[in-house]
Amino acid sequence: MLLIQGRFETRALSPNTTYEVAFVVKLNRTDSEGDSLVTLELNLPDGTGWGNLENLGQQREEWINLRASHFVMGPETVGTISFALYGTLDPQKTGLILKGVLIHPKD
């Protein structure tokens, strides 16, 4: 089982700006499985949450951004956001490497 979680205080972010939350990962595959499904979640201080499913099966040896979701910085999003990446894959067999989490203005 894979579980990566984090939290971030949004008070320092610019108001009225849309931010994206993404996990930066690389997959150095050492197994023969084709599908490596992971779920990405983002939960905001107002109780709103989003999730999406990503298949890492075709990813190899390059850094990719797995987008959890985005949010607009406003009064209802001041506080602590939480984010997670989880799935049933074994990081030791799939060679999943986490570089970090990006929280940046969305283009």
Side-chain angles (χ1 to χ4, degrees):
M1 177 74 174
L2 170 69
L3 174 61
I4 300 169
Q5 296 176 306
R7 299 168 70 97
F8 181 80
E9 180 59 50
T10 64
R11 292 189 204 311
L13 299 178
S14 299
N16 302 315
T17 302
T18 300
Y19 285 90
E20 180 176 77
V21 178
F23 290 83
V24 182
V25 300
K26 184 193 302 190
L27 193 65
N28 293 330
R29 188 170 283 293
T30 59
D31 67 353
S32 59
E33 291 180 29
D35 289 340
S36 297
L37 297 175
V38 294
T39 300
L40 303 146
E41 287 186 356
L42 173 64
N43 295 295
L44 301 178
D46 67 359
T48 306
W50 291 276
N52 74 39
L53 191 63
E54 289 281 341
N55 186 349
L56 303 178
Q58 301 302 316
Q59 303 302 324
R60 300 262 196 271
E61 309 249 346
E62 64 182 48
W63 292 109
I64 58 169
N65 293 349
L66 298 177
R67 290 166 182 84
S69 194
H70 63 275
F71 65 97
V72 176
M73 189 59 208
E76 65 282 350
T77 54
V78 172
T80 303
I81 61 171
S82 62
F83 40 85
L85 181 155
Y86 60 90
T88 57
L89 60 107
D90 182 346
Q92 293 178 338
K93 289 184 180 178
T94 59
L96 182 70
I97 300 168
L98 174 68
K99 185 175 189 177
V101 176
L102 291 175
I103 300 171
H104 61 100
K106 188 175 176 184
D107 295 334

